[in-house]
Amino acid sequence: MRAVFRKAAACAAAMAMVAATALTGCASGDGSSASTDGSGQDAPEEGVQLQIFAANSLSKAMEEVQAIYTEQTGVTFADTQYEGSGTLNEMLGGGAYADALITASNSTMDTAVDEGYVDAETRFPLFTNDLVIVSGLDSTLEDVTLEDIASGAYTLAVGDASVPAGNYAKQSLTTTTPPCWISADGTVGPDCSGKEGTFEGTPLEGKVTEGSSVGNVCSYANSGDVDLAMVYSSDVHRFGNVKQVGTAPFGTHKPILYPAAVCTVSEHPEEAKAFLEWCFTDEDAIKVWQEWGFELA
């Protein structure tokens, strides 16, 4: 009887183990099915939060785009940092954390690559923009050209050396007759960096105010501190209170590109890459970018 009892007990124990294993498998199967979004692709990891560093000029559009992405995927965003592109690089160099970087010029992204802040393999051009001449809403100026600026009849605001829009503006100002900005190495137009040079000895000497951001540059025109300012076309949409009165001709400055890349310190590189690619391809996102004056590269 004892032998029979022992055999029965062993059989019961074995059956219990089989049942437990089956239950565990079922639970595992439930978790697996929850990791897809119904399209056969893995859904974003639950609880992922991305930290984006983006050029100042992207702020308004980016806020709308991020809200759409969160609604579509569940991925959320930390307090996105909007600064001048040079400042963003300085922050990364100082140890700040970011998952993705979007700058307003190739040169600032070149620096990010050279310094190891971003993965060069993930870099691609995201947006283009136009360089425009603006004035305050109350101004009577219209159809202003670079040659009009070269007459010396107007005061002007541009970004300083750390602001890509200012670099592009100074590149354009080297092409006027006479030149309104002289680069330190004597290069002109797209061939110069627009970073080192002077207004001294030009028609604009003593007539230029340099701002540390495109927002500041727009405010100088809006307040009437200067007659004109040179900013991106998207800034007219973003800040308002200024109106476009001219455009810097294509070819007087380097192409205005906004490159994007995943940061090397990112703890979510695949999710960061997916977001950047979505910005470039999603119809709802593209509509937002266009409404704010950006064009896909």
Side-chain angles (χ1 to χ4, degrees):
M1 288 293 293
R2 291 180 181 177
V4 172
F5 180 80
R6 284 196 296 267
K7 289 181 180 180
C11 183
M15 292 177 65
M17 291 179 65
V18 170
T21 301
L23 288 173
T24 302
C26 289
S28 175
D30 289 344
S32 176
S33 63
S35 66
T36 62
D37 59 8
S39 64
Q41 298 180 344
D42 289 339
E45 180 184 341
E46 185 177 354
V48 168
Q49 185 178 68
L50 297 177
Q51 174 70 71
I52 309 298
F53 277 19
N56 263 319
S57 49
L58 291 169
S59 61
K60 297 295 185 180
M62 182 63 76
E63 290 171 2
E64 291 189 22
V65 164
Q66 288 178 341
I68 296 172
Y69 194 69
T70 296
E71 183 178 354
Q72 288 187 11
T73 68
V75 171
T76 59
F77 296 88
D79 184 19
T80 299
Q81 297 299 299
Y82 302 106
E83 300 286 350
S85 298
T87 301
L88 294 174
N89 275 338
E90 292 175 2
M91 293 167 63
L92 291 171
Y97 175 86
D99 292 295
L101 173 68
I102 307 173
T103 67
S105 72
N106 272 326
S107 62
T108 46
M109 187 60 78
D110 288 342
T111 298
V113 170
D114 293 342
E115 295 296 330
Y117 304 150
V118 297
D119 178 359
E121 296 293 325
T122 65
R123 174 180 177 172
F124 70 100
L126 187 54
F127 308 115
T128 65
N129 216 327
D130 293 320
L131 182 67
V132 298
I133 303 167
V134 301
S135 65
L137 293 178
D138 295 332
S139 172
T140 59
L141 295 174
E142 56 184 22
D143 298 326
V144 177
T145 67
L146 290 180
E147 296 305 324
D148 291 330
I149 293 175
S151 72
Y154 307 106
T155 53
L156 178 71
V158 296
D160 63 24
S162 70
V163 180
N167 303 150
Y168 294 125
K170 291 165 187 173
Q171 290 165 16
S172 289
L173 292 171
T174 65
T175 67
T176 60
T177 305
C180 288
W181 191 77
I182 302 171
S183 64
D185 59 5
T187 51
V188 176
D191 294 328
C192 72
S193 68
K195 293 183 178 181
E196 296 182 2
T198 183
F199 290 103
E200 293 181 7
T202 78
L204 290 181
E205 181 175 355
K207 298 180 179 181
V208 177
T209 301
E210 297 189 55
S212 59
S213 69
V214 286
N216 288 339
V217 173
C218 281
S219 70
Y220 297 143
N222 172 45
S223 65
D225 289 343
V226 297
D227 300 313
L228 300 166
M230 297 179 73
V231 295
Y232 297 133
S233 60
S234 59
D235 295 325
V236 179
H237 298 269
R238 184 162 67 109
F239 294 109
N241 296 322
V242 292
K243 61 181 181 180
Q244 181 177 334
V245 296
T247 303
F250 180 81
T252 62
H253 56 79
K254 297 182 189 301
I256 300 175
L257 294 174
Y258 285 65
V262 176
C263 293
T264 52
V265 297
S266 175
E267 296 176 358
H268 307 288
E270 292 303 318
E271 289 85 352
K273 181 180 179 181
F275 170 66
L276 293 177
E277 291 176 349
W278 174 89
C279 286
F280 194 75
T281 58
D282 183 81
E283 291 184 1
D284 291 334
I286 292 171
K287 183 178 179 180
V288 172
W289 299 127
Q290 291 174 338
E291 288 175 349
W292 286 98
F294 295 98
E295 298 177 13
L296 294 177

